[in-house]
Amino acid sequence: MTLSRSLKGSIALVTGAGSGMGAATARVFAAEGAHVAVTDYDLASAEAVAYEIAQEGLSCAAWGLDVSDPDRIRAVVGEIAAKFGGLDIVINNAGISAFCPIDSDAYDAVWAKSLAVLLTSHQQVIRAALPHLRKSAAPRIVNIASTEALGATSRDSPYAAAKAGVTGLTRALAVELGREGITVNCICPGPIATGMTAAIADDDKAVFAKRRTALGRYGQPEEVAHVTVSLCLPAASYITGATIPVDGGLMARNA
Ligand code: NAD
């Protein structure tokens, strides 16, 4: 059995690729020879990442894509498949943080937005991509959840509920699509230095990471991106339905 470790010529869609882990993932896919659809709610940031990748002589294009807009999802997936000649890999990465106490007046609005952006969007991107994935030689889906899907932080229930939903969606679709050779896995990042955590002071980051993670530090977006890309290799053909913490040992640590 020869299993390829090359992504050369694969076509990958990354949501929320204008910043943080999505941008790092787009860069790593491109460096591995994939054609990358760099999509983000913020078109300018997607274009900036695509420009930087293209400067390296690598293949990519940018789209503005709000993942809470199902019509736009269908349109952009169609445009990506038309431009690159198909779609092999979907990375559901776009995200927002959504802290909100349970008794806040804003709770229902935060809940609705969190579920739309962090969970509903995953199934909508996957459903739009499915006809193309079914034509791929090595179809791969990776959903980005969070360690908040496995444990929880106070006042983070909309986010934690959505991310736990992502792990359930991942397992269910892995089972449903497995016979077609489509793998569906999910990554649970721990504390990663991205746009989402930029407002946390460096000292507070350091204290948290020393107290809570085994490695004693925040992770870098590239350290998650490489795991995501590994799950998408043609050779990663027998891993599906998995929930993989990439968290510096946060979930492993009791004391
Ligand atoms: P980030 O803020 O750097 O990047 C998130 C990107 O998503 C941004 O470019 C933003 O414009 C985009 N986005 C937001 N709403 C969108 C929408 N409606 N449609 C399309 N794009 C949208 O944050 P990040 O940390 O790189 O986040 C990536 C993923 O990782 C998210 O799903 C997040 O929940 C998850 N995550 C992050 C951490 C962390 O510590 N940073 C930990 C666990 C999980």
Side-chain angles (χ1 to χ4, degrees):
M1 192 176 196
T2 306
L3 293 170
S4 166
R5 293 185 57 78
S6 172
L7 285 168
K8 199 165 173 45
S10 295
I11 300 151
L13 156 62
V14 186
T15 68
S19 172
M21 281 178 257
T25 303
R27 286 189 203 103
V28 178
F29 269 115
E32 294 295 326
H35 305 288
V36 186
V38 182
T39 76
D40 200 283
Y41 177 89
D42 174 13
L43 174 61
S45 68
E47 284 177 337
V49 171
Y51 177 79
E52 192 189 304
I53 291 171
Q55 289 295 100
E56 303 284 319
L58 303 170
S59 174
C60 67
W63 277 268
L65 174 59
D66 176 353
V67 294
S68 65
D69 179 346
D71 291 338
R72 182 72 184 146
I73 288 172
R74 283 187 288 273
V76 169
V77 166
E79 287 172 26
I80 292 166
K83 178 172 176 63
F84 292 121
L87 182 57
D88 303 294
I89 294 163
V90 168
I91 310 299
N92 274 313
N93 165 83
I96 48 171
S97 73
F99 281 93
C100 192
I102 186 69
D103 51 4
S104 162
D105 290 344
Y107 193 83
D108 277 333
V110 174
W111 175 272
K113 182 156 189 198
S114 305
L115 272 285
V117 174
L118 297 170
L119 177 58
T120 307
S121 69
H122 285 218
Q123 55 88 348
Q124 283 168 337
V125 173
I126 291 166
R127 284 161 66 210
L130 208 45
H132 306 291
L133 297 177
R134 284 184 163 134
K135 293 183 203 149
S136 168
R140 302 278 180 265
I141 298 168
V142 176
N143 298 321
I144 304 301
S146 168
T147 47
E148 288 290 285
L150 310 171
T153 304
S154 180
R155 302 183 310 282
D156 203 21
S157 59
Y159 185 88
K163 292 298 194 180
V166 170
T167 66
L169 179 73
T170 299
R171 282 188 292 275
L173 293 183
V175 173
E176 187 169 337
L177 301 175
R179 297 297 167 96
E180 300 183 68
I182 301 173
T183 71
V184 191
N185 293 292
C186 148
I187 288 178
C188 291
I192 311 295
T194 67
M196 193 168 281
T197 52
I200 304 170
D202 286 348
D203 284 356
D204 293 343
K205 279 196 181 98
V207 168
F208 175 87
K210 280 203 170 61
R211 189 166 49 84
R212 294 297 315 282
T213 68
L215 295 179
R217 63 175 176 83
Y218 255 58
Q220 294 303 313
E222 292 73 18
E223 295 179 287
V224 179
H226 277 280
V227 180
T228 304
V229 169
S230 298
L231 289 170
C232 296
L233 299 175
S237 46
Y238 203 59
I239 180 166
T240 196
T243 293
I244 302 170
V246 181
D247 65 350
L250 183 139
M251 295 310 300
R253 181 169 182 175
N254 281 335

